[in-house]
Amino acid sequence: MPTESRFTVDGTFPDAAADSLRGLISSLAGLIDVIPDLERKRPSDVSRALQVDMKLAWKVSHLAGSSSPVAAVRHLPGQGGMQIFLDAARSKNCPADHVDQAQHAFDVLWEFIKKTAGSRQNFEAMMVGVQGSRDRT
């Protein structure tokens, strides 16, 4: 017996997911651009400038530099990691409007994830499925 899906892949889920991810990608790229004393945008430089774990800096840097929302999903940190990153940006005097914009974009995406997929892992699987279905057409 088939189970009822939480969404229909009629363009609504993929488009809304991509829009939410693009908003986060854009806001994080803007935030990284204004980190004080950041000469280069390599993850190791971001880690040093904000004094955050290298793995977290790597995830956020790759997310911010992603050209594809589908590819970006695998770099999405969890809520705790993103909060650590944003708190570090605040503590290093990044402009509040940039930090707030990134926080808002993450909150919008996270709410979308909860409503459509229930978890980040499910969301990632759904996005891989979307990419797979697009690759077959």
Side-chain angles (χ1 to χ4, degrees):
M1 179 172 159
T3 59
E4 185 177 338
S5 176
R6 294 183 198 188
F7 67 95
T8 57
V9 182
D10 61 2
T12 304
F13 171 78
D15 293 342
D19 287 347
S20 295
L21 282 161
R22 279 189 204 102
L24 181 59
I25 291 167
S26 174
S27 65
L28 288 174
L31 177 56
I32 289 172
D33 282 343
V34 298
I35 294 173
D37 302 321
L38 183 66
E39 294 179 22
R40 295 198 267 176
K41 297 177 188 175
R42 296 179 311 180
S44 58
D45 299 318
V46 172
S47 174
R48 258 191 308 280
L50 296 182
Q51 297 179 327
V52 296
D53 178 72
M54 180 60 193
K55 184 176 178 181
L56 176 59
W58 190 92
K59 282 184 169 194
V60 174
S61 294
H62 281 82
L63 177 61
S66 182
S67 60
S68 163
V70 174
V73 170
R74 66 186 171 154
H75 304 300
L76 185 64
Q79 289 177 295
M82 186 58 78
Q83 197 59 56
I84 289 168
F85 186 85
L86 296 174
D87 287 347
R90 281 185 190 93
S91 75
K92 296 299 179 183
N93 299 317
C94 290
D97 59 327
H98 284 79
V99 178
D100 293 344
Q101 184 179 12
Q103 180 72 64
H104 176 73
F106 183 76
D107 292 345
V108 167
L109 176 61
W110 204 259
E111 187 62 29
F112 179 78
I113 289 170
K114 286 192 315 188
K115 286 182 180 178
T116 59
S119 71
R120 188 181 80 217
Q121 292 79 14
N122 289 346
F123 181 70
E124 185 174 346
M126 291 166 71
M127 291 300 289
V128 168
V130 166
Q131 181 64 43
S133 68
R134 287 181 177 170
D135 288 346
R136 288 189 295 270
T137 58

